[in-house]
Amino acid sequence: MPNFRALVLHDDSGRVASAIEDVDDSRLPPGDVTVAVEYSTLNYKDGMILRGLGRLVRTYPHVPGIDFAGTVERSESPDYKPGDKVVLTGWRVGETQWGGFSERARVRADYLVPLPEGLSARQAMAIGTAGFTAMLAVTALENRGLRAGADVLVTGAGGGLGGVAVALMAKLGHKVSASTGRSQLRDYLEGLGAAVVVDRIPADAAVRPLDRETWDGAVDAVGGATLATILSQLKYGASVAACGLAGGSDLTATVIPFLLRGVNLLGIDSVMCPQEPRFEAWRRFARDLPLDKLEAMTDEVPLSRVAELAPRILAGALRGRTVIDVRR
Ligand code: NDP
């Protein structure tokens, strides 16, 4: 097979540096399916990996990219044949093994999901890990009784996970309050379907044990004081799906909302999510996510621009989803 291009990270005495390099197949990890990658995306975790934060990567040289979509080139698995369109998110690909910031990737067949009918590879990556997590969060809230017409809150709404959650929940008939630190995103968030745009909950908010009963459900991408505040504002028996930590990982909540309002804190993990809910989440996108809204929240960049965008996603400065065309 001909060589291919990949964004390779090197650890230079504790400082992580990246370069686009010409790579051959012998450097790919073991796996029964080889994929010609068309698109990947820039996620918050990729930003951390590109900057060498959080000790997520232990072995260098490394190719990041925690998700990708493309076409099967070679397969030793009965489940996939050359020409099949596939999607991958999670399983620590892009962390413990080389990932999607590359024209070619090799993985275990059971890490892959067939590209759902009605979605292109680009649309699947506009969804990507962040959008997939938003779908798991919405499904978890529904499994706890969320019904159409509910008052729901989405935090970090200007980001990727938040944007997909806003569009999805609006389409499902909920009244969505979108929380953002960027007031200039009002029109954008209303365009995605938000009924109301509200300010961010300040990181140093003094959290009251119980506040006014406000939300039937919430998708939280921020964590920290934001998550503690949401817990205090849930209606009786309502749930928050905790997805992220863009605003911090410490949780200083009290047990009072659990004891006096029977609220639920639902942890959402997209990485090791089992196959059946994983397949079902992808099937739901073609049905439940308005694809025009998905397009409106998506920017596309070539692989050559990824490294320069890493600090911006960590600073919460990117809007919506950033798709990477790895062939450019
Ligand atoms: P983005 O960077 O696209 O969005 C995060 C958003 O959070 C920002 O756009 C910003 O929104 C808000 N934000 C950023 N910094 C702060 C801060 N200091 N305080 C409050 N709000 C802040 O990231 P993603 O949407 O891709 O991911 C969101 C979170 O979810 C991350 O922590 C990520 O690691 C996590 N995640 C978890 C997954 C899981 O499996 N559980 C999977 C995927 C992501 P605004 O400006 O609108 O306020």
Side-chain angles (χ1 to χ4, degrees):
M1 298 286 273
N3 286 5
F4 57 94
R5 286 161 68 248
L7 184 85
V8 184
L9 297 185
H10 295 272
D11 181 7
D12 181 6
S13 312
R15 194 181 147 271
V16 172
S18 65
I20 293 186
E21 295 178 9
D22 204 38
V23 179
D24 68 61
D25 276 13
S26 68
R27 297 179 67 189
L28 288 173
D32 39 11
V33 183
T34 304
V35 178
V37 178
E38 289 153 31
Y39 295 98
S40 184
T41 76
L42 185 63
N43 289 276
Y44 191 89
K45 199 186 261 180
D46 297 311
M48 295 178 70
I49 291 168
L50 284 159
R51 305 290 287 175
L53 303 174
R55 290 184 52 75
L56 295 166
V57 173
R58 302 297 172 102
T59 311
Y60 294 90
H62 178 71
V63 172
I66 64 169
D67 50 24
F68 62 75
T71 305
V72 172
E73 276 187 323
R74 267 181 309 191
S75 172
E76 287 155 28
S77 158
D79 296 331
Y80 294 100
K81 60 182 189 318
D84 286 350
K85 298 279 189 186
V86 289
V87 186
L88 175 136
T89 66
W91 302 116
R92 305 197 70 198
V93 171
E95 298 177 62
T96 56
Q97 69 171 75
W98 283 20
F101 291 0
S102 170
E103 289 176 320
R104 192 172 294 149
R106 194 191 286 145
V107 291
R108 286 169 45 159
D110 57 0
Y111 286 2
L112 294 166
V113 172
L115 183 73
E117 204 146 319
L119 286 184
S120 67
R122 185 179 181 283
Q123 286 166 330
M125 279 298 100
I127 294 165
T129 304
F132 173 64
T133 307
M135 179 61 90
L136 294 180
V138 170
T139 304
L141 293 174
E142 291 171 348
N143 291 343
R144 284 289 182 146
L146 191 75
R147 295 288 171 265
D151 281 310
V152 293
L153 176 68
V154 175
T155 63
L161 198 158
V164 176
V166 169
L168 190 56
M169 294 179 98
K171 168 84 186 301
L172 292 169
H174 302 300
K175 184 175 168 227
V176 183
S177 294
S179 166
T180 180
R182 293 175 275 175
S183 55
Q184 69 273 24
L185 296 187
R186 177 176 300 277
D187 289 350
Y188 160 77
L189 290 168
E190 287 175 353
L192 296 185
V196 187
V197 176
V198 298
D199 287 340
R200 257 189 211 174
I201 294 159
D204 58 355
V207 183
R208 298 159 65 174
L210 282 185
D211 206 337
R212 191 163 66 85
E213 288 189 58
T214 309
W215 312 114
D216 295 302
V219 175
D220 177 43
V222 173
T226 301
L227 179 55
T229 304
I230 294 169
L231 284 167
S232 75
Q233 295 178 346
L234 290 174
K235 293 182 189 173
Y236 190 89
S239 306
V240 52
C243 302
L245 41 59
S249 55
D250 287 347
L251 178 60
T252 48
T254 75
V255 293
I256 303 295
F258 301 98
L259 303 183
L260 298 186
R261 289 204 184 134
V263 305
N264 304 291
L265 174 55
L266 311 176
I268 306 300
D269 170 48
S270 66
V271 178
M272 306 308 285
C273 169
Q275 262 191 331
E276 192 35 50
R278 188 178 283 269
F279 277 50
E280 177 52 25
W282 279 105
R283 282 194 292 267
R284 270 192 82 176
F285 279 116
R287 193 174 70 216
D288 289 341
L289 184 67
L291 295 178
D292 56 330
K293 308 268 194 264
L294 180 67
E295 184 57 29
M297 75 177 81
T298 302
D299 287 322
E300 184 178 317
V301 296
L303 189 61
S304 55
R305 282 203 54 215
V306 166
E308 83 191 56
L309 293 178
R312 297 196 61 214
I313 194 163
L314 294 179
L318 295 184
R319 191 191 80 172
R321 297 278 300 136
T322 304
V323 164
I324 301 161
D325 184 344
V326 302
R327 301 159 301 182
R328 290 198 290 132

